[in-house]
Amino acid sequence: MERAVAQAAGAGLTGLLVTPGPDLTYFTGYRPTAITERITMLVLDADHDPHLILPVLERGDAAGVPVAITDWADGSDPYPAAARLLDPAGRYAISDSAWAMHLLGLQQALPGASFLAMSSALPMLRAIKGAEEVDRLAAAGAAADATYQEIISVRFEGRTEHQVGTDLAGLLTGHGHSQVDFTVVGSGPNGANPHHEMGDRVIERGDMVVLDFGGLKDGYGSDTTRTVHVGPPTTAEQEIFDVVRRAQETAFAAVRPGVPCQEIDRAARRVIEEAGYGEYFIHRTGHGIGLTTHEPPYLVEGESQVLVPGMCFSIEPGIYLPGRFGVRIEDIVTVTETGGRRLNNTSHALQIVT
Ligand code: ZN
Ligand code: ZN
Ligand code: ZN
């Protein structure tokens, strides 16, 4: 919290308004059982000790949170009460997860104050992970890797994407995930849509199948993609797969402190462009991961933020051929003093499944 207040001051902000979601979990470990129309908000600024505003009925839930607490009761207007803790002419960053009604209430109570989205005002707030956070991300990655090792021996041919996706979800849970965020099973032409989750298509022999899965284990995220093939691939399929593999591995090799995020994107994109598939790589190369499965930093053209030891993010180039198939390979990577360390360590080879 002290570090965040210093960062806020450095960015010309009066303070931070932290509402339930990953930001509040990050600072306090507090996760209200239900995030509702009743405002809960942590106020962090340089002039006061951290202060949590919450509905009186949730006081018991927040008993272990080591900050001062102001409660408010149903029937009272919480916004003027919250406003008394703030600078009427202040400039505050507010959590992206804050409900619009809460921000509107604060704006009405404090017409002279200004508010910015946390992710635009302090994008790197949670981006540099401590050693314990990296350990948790590594454990989540290992659980996702164990899931992959098991999914490649299930039957694909003749089963639907949904059935394989259900297997993936069960394996993630079996390996300790408390929450499954996504199980993409993109078979054949469906793999050409990076956002295709899964459907009723029956997987056939000869299909490429994109498998992208992840969720939360002990509060931290996993997210990995491997592309498998049902039976032996054609030469053309293998060649396109190899381009993506080379792009992923080239981008990983470029990871080291001081390199701008966009350079990692460029490293992956250059390989795919030189192979003639540039127009089929239709998304950024990666995203940060931590208490959520998608967060800053983003590895995208135009992001000049440099890599710092402790940052954790995906490297996930792909090629998507409409009407045919898709290929993506994704690992979570953390920045060390000397380069990158993968938190996913299963083979990158094109796995043949049955
Ligand atoms: Zn094929
Ligand atoms: Zn993914
Ligand atoms: Zn991802």
Side-chain angles (χ1 to χ4, degrees):
M1 287 188 264
E2 274 171 30
R3 205 171 61 223
V5 167
Q7 265 186 52
L13 297 164
T14 311
L16 284 74
L17 306 180
V18 180
T19 62
D23 293 339
L24 186 63
T25 305
Y26 183 68
F27 287 120
T28 67
Y30 179 46
R31 294 166 202 258
T33 41
I35 297 174
T36 70
E37 77 287 357
R38 293 184 173 110
I39 189 170
T40 292
M41 185 173 80
L42 175 69
V43 180
L44 299 177
D45 67 35
D47 298 330
H48 309 91
D49 288 334
H51 211 110
L52 184 65
I53 298 158
L54 50 62
V56 64
L57 78 164
E58 291 175 14
R59 231 190 139 104
D61 295 348
V65 181
V67 300
I69 287 178
T70 295
D71 59 30
W72 60 274
D74 286 350
S76 68
D77 185 345
Y79 302 110
R84 281 194 286 279
L85 295 167
L86 305 181
D87 176 345
R91 212 172 116 82
Y92 291 95
I94 184 165
S95 291
D96 292 11
S97 59
W99 282 23
M101 65 175 286
H102 297 320
L103 174 57
L104 290 166
L106 291 168
Q107 284 178 322
Q108 199 168 22
L110 280 175
S114 57
F115 302 88
L116 291 91
M118 195 74 81
S119 63
S120 60
L122 295 172
M124 297 302 136
L125 183 67
R126 293 187 277 109
I128 300 165
K129 271 64 182 179
E132 194 188 320
E133 294 185 283
V134 174
D135 286 348
R136 288 203 195 195
L137 286 162
D145 288 354
T147 294
Y148 176 67
Q149 293 299 356
E150 291 185 42
I151 201 70
I152 57 182
S153 53
V154 309
R155 182 104 189 141
F156 280 69
E157 185 181 355
R159 296 172 74 224
T160 66
E161 294 174 345
H162 259 295
Q163 287 172 312
V164 174
T166 303
D167 290 346
L168 277 172
L171 287 167
L172 281 171
T173 306
H175 287 290
H177 277 60
S178 59
Q179 181 179 319
V180 175
D181 284 359
F182 43 86
T183 51
V184 171
V185 181
S187 68
N190 288 341
N193 171 5
H195 275 165
H196 176 80
E197 268 257 316
M198 50 188 172
D200 295 325
R201 185 176 181 279
V202 176
I203 300 168
E204 299 167 6
R205 192 175 171 80
D207 281 350
M208 283 279 200
V209 186
V210 178
L211 302 171
D212 184 351
F213 47 95
L216 297 183
K217 178 179 187 293
D218 296 324
Y220 279 78
S222 69
D223 183 6
T224 187
T225 307
R226 291 292 182 268
T227 302
V228 301
H229 195 272
V230 188
T234 64
T235 308
E237 286 172 326
Q238 183 70 54
E239 280 173 6
I240 290 164
F241 180 90
D242 290 343
V243 172
V244 175
R245 179 177 182 174
R246 212 160 58 242
Q248 208 282 346
E249 294 175 358
T250 303
F252 173 73
V255 172
R256 63 184 172 278
V259 172
C261 288
Q262 66 183 359
E263 288 298 333
I264 307 304
D265 181 76
R266 288 174 183 172
R269 206 163 295 278
R270 204 172 296 129
V271 172
I272 292 175
E273 278 169 1
E274 281 170 6
Y277 293 98
E279 66 184 293
Y280 302 109
F281 178 16
I282 52 177
H283 56 71
R284 65 190 174 210
T285 292
H287 55 82
I289 188 166
L291 288 163
T292 70
T293 45
H294 285 84
E295 60 187 42
Y298 294 104
L299 306 183
V300 65
E301 182 64 36
E303 180 53 86
S304 55
Q305 168 68 43
V306 297
L307 299 183
V308 176
M311 283 183 174
C312 297
F313 48 78
S314 70
I315 296 181
E316 52 178 306
I319 293 177
Y320 307 94
L321 301 174
R324 294 176 64 197
F325 62 88
V327 176
R328 181 166 65 258
I329 299 174
E330 173 180 26
D331 290 328
I332 301 303
V333 167
T334 185
V335 183
T336 71
E337 297 293 341
T338 53
R341 172 187 156 211
R342 292 182 192 278
L343 304 184
N344 293 109
N345 293 286
T346 58
S347 169
H348 286 172
L350 178 52
Q351 175 70 43
I352 295 172
V353 297
T354 58

